[in-house]
């Protein structure tokens, strides 16, 4: 039948068939669900650790311009609560939730599809380089898309004055250069995300399967805790230098360009205090990444199991 044949080969018909095949598979359905579950796990983890991240942000910009100096975690917490109230520790939480539902959903949700693209056939025997590559690729994509929410979150956390709204901060950012202002520091963010996501997911994945393969631990809550704890320490160590550069780029005052770019910021930070300057705020960085990573992975694994999906 000529009419039937012609209809079958029209571009619209081909698109429908291809889309139907993709979204109709169990694997593609799992990929979408896995991505959504990753976002839920990340928001829960962020809710538990947001106050520590706010203190970390203040310490990273400590002494910059006319900013206050926050000498350590405990003193920083006291200063914020005394001057701005306890709820100030949750400044930027609305932007952070948006960030986690976009950034973390994608960086975790795309990890396993990227491993398949790289030729993974069995998670138990996947080479570590494929895990790092898949994690880095997923992190770059997620961070590039979610950069505007990152800018808003840092601005809100760094603000030492009264209450801010996410829309008010968004208008302020937009007035300082239009849409491009929301992508200030995007290259630094993408580099950080590549390092962070590659380290976090590869470390967790590798530790988990090494323990299972060598009979050290069985797959379960105890192993998920150990693997995520190792991943949290690894992430805090590898990302602290680029994180402080990113925070300073994001927090440049309106109409003032303290740094011309990532390298300029890195050089000025180094001049300010040497290598140690890149690890300013490391204690809250670790205090945030440790619990965050543990909660994120353990909740994600639990949600996957409840859905009937295999773990990472």
């Amino acid at each position: 039948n000529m009419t039937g044949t012609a209809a079958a080969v029209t571009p619209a018909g081909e698109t429908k068939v291809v889309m139907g095949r993709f979204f109709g598979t169990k694997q593609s359905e799992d990929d979408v669900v896995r991505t959504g579950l990753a976002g839920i796990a990340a928001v829960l983890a962020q809710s538990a650790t947001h106050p520590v991240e706010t203190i970390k942000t203040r310490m990273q910009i400590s002494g910059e311009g006319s900013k206050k100096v926050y000498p350590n975690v405990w003193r920083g917490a006291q200063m914020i609560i005394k001057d701005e109230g306890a709820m100030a520790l949750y400044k930027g939480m609305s932007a952070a939730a948006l960030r986690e539902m976009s950034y973390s959903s994608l960086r975790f949700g795309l990890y396993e599809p990227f491993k398949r693209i790289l030729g993974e056939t069995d998670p138990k025997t996947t080479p570590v380089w494929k895990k790092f590559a898949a994690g880095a690729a997923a992190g770059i994509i997620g961070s590039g898309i979610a950069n505007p929410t990152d800018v808003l979150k840092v601005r809100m956390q760094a603000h030492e004055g009264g209450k801010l709204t996410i829309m008010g901060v968004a208008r302020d950012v937009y007035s300082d250069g239009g849409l491009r202002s929301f992508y200030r520091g995007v290259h630094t963010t993408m580099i950080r995300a590549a390092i962070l996501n590659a380290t976090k997911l590869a470390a967790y994945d590798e530790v988990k399967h090494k323990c299972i393969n060598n009979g050290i631990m069985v797959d379960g809550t105890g192993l998920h805790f150990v693997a995520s704890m190792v991943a949290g320490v690894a992430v805090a160590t590898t990302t602290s230098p680029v994180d402080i550069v990113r925070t300073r780029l994001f927090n440049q005052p309106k109409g003032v360009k303290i740094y011309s770019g990532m390298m300029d910021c890195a050089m000025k930070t180094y001049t300010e205090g040497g290598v140690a300057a890149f690890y300013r705020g490391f204690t809250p960085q670790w205090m945030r990444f440790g619990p965050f990573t543990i909660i994120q992975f353990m909740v994600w694994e639990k949600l996957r199991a409840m859905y009937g999906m295999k773990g990472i």
Side-chain angles (χ1 to χ4, degrees):
N1 186 310
M2 292 295 290
T3 305
T5 304
V9 297
T10 58
E14 288 179 357
T15 301
K16 187 174 181 180
V17 170
V18 172
M19 296 294 282
R21 285 176 181 169
F22 180 79
F23 288 105
T25 64
K26 181 65 169 67
Q27 188 175 77
S28 61
E29 179 188 324
D30 284 352
D31 287 341
V32 173
V33 172
R34 187 186 300 115
T35 300
L37 296 180
I40 294 170
V43 171
L44 290 174
Q46 181 66 34
S47 299
T49 61
H50 192 82
V52 178
E53 188 181 19
T54 299
I55 297 168
K56 178 211 73 173
T57 299
R58 297 292 182 90
M59 288 181 70
Q60 288 180 329
I61 62 170
S62 187
E64 189 181 42
S66 61
K67 298 289 182 182
K68 298 175 185 175
V69 175
Y70 299 87
N72 55 55
V73 179
W74 311 116
R75 180 61 183 145
Q78 291 171 355
M79 289 171 66
I80 293 170
I81 293 170
K82 179 184 176 182
D83 297 341
E84 304 166 52
M87 289 308 296
L89 293 171
Y90 274 91
K91 280 184 176 178
M93 184 60 212
S94 54
L98 286 175
R99 174 183 182 269
E100 297 306 333
M101 284 304 296
S102 51
Y103 168 55
S104 285
S105 291
L106 291 171
R107 69 188 175 108
F108 267 48
L110 293 175
Y111 176 62
E112 283 152 279
F114 270 120
K115 285 202 296 180
R116 293 199 303 270
I117 290 171
L118 292 169
E120 178 189 78
T121 54
D122 183 356
K124 295 178 182 178
T125 58
T126 305
V128 70
W129 73 264
K130 289 186 179 181
K131 297 173 183 178
F132 271 101
I140 288 169
I141 291 173
S143 64
I145 292 172
N147 198 78
T149 62
D150 231 353
V151 172
L152 295 175
K153 183 193 71 168
V154 170
R155 287 286 187 97
M156 293 176 78
Q157 287 179 317
H159 180 66
E160 295 175 338
K163 186 177 179 180
L164 291 175
T165 65
I166 189 170
M167 291 306 297
V169 176
R171 284 193 294 269
D172 189 51
V173 172
Y174 184 80
S175 69
D176 192 28
L179 291 175
R180 290 183 63 183
S181 295
F182 289 97
Y183 284 88
R184 179 177 290 164
V186 66
H187 296 112
T188 309
T189 298
M190 292 170 78
I191 292 170
R192 173 185 181 271
I195 296 170
L196 185 154
N197 215 48
T199 304
K200 177 183 277 192
L201 283 159
Y204 180 86
D205 199 348
E206 187 72 4
V207 169
K208 178 181 174 180
H209 286 291
K210 285 292 185 185
C211 287
I212 294 172
N213 294 346
N214 293 309
I216 299 170
M217 298 181 76
V218 296
D219 193 4
T221 302
L223 177 55
H224 299 164
F225 177 82
V226 170
S228 58
M229 184 170 63
V230 173
V233 173
V235 167
T237 303
T238 58
T239 61
S240 190
V242 70
D243 193 60
I244 196 166
V245 171
R246 182 190 68 129
T247 298
R248 290 187 168 203
L249 284 172
F250 280 172
N251 197 54
Q252 292 182 92
K254 183 178 178 180
V256 179
K257 202 167 185 180
I258 300 173
Y259 312 108
S260 61
M262 181 177 67
M263 291 306 299
D264 180 53
C265 182
M267 291 301 296
K268 286 179 179 176
T269 301
Y270 180 80
T271 303
E272 182 184 307
V275 174
F278 291 100
Y279 284 90
R280 182 175 290 160
F282 178 79
T283 300
Q285 176 93 322
W286 178 81
M287 288 175 65
R288 189 254 177 179
F289 271 128
F292 185 100
T293 303
I294 291 169
I295 295 169
Q296 185 178 29
F297 274 118
M298 293 187 73
V299 171
W300 194 39
E301 291 273 25
K302 186 65 175 178
L303 291 174
R304 289 168 68 132
M306 290 171 64
Y307 183 77
M309 187 187 299
K310 289 182 179 180
I312 190 172

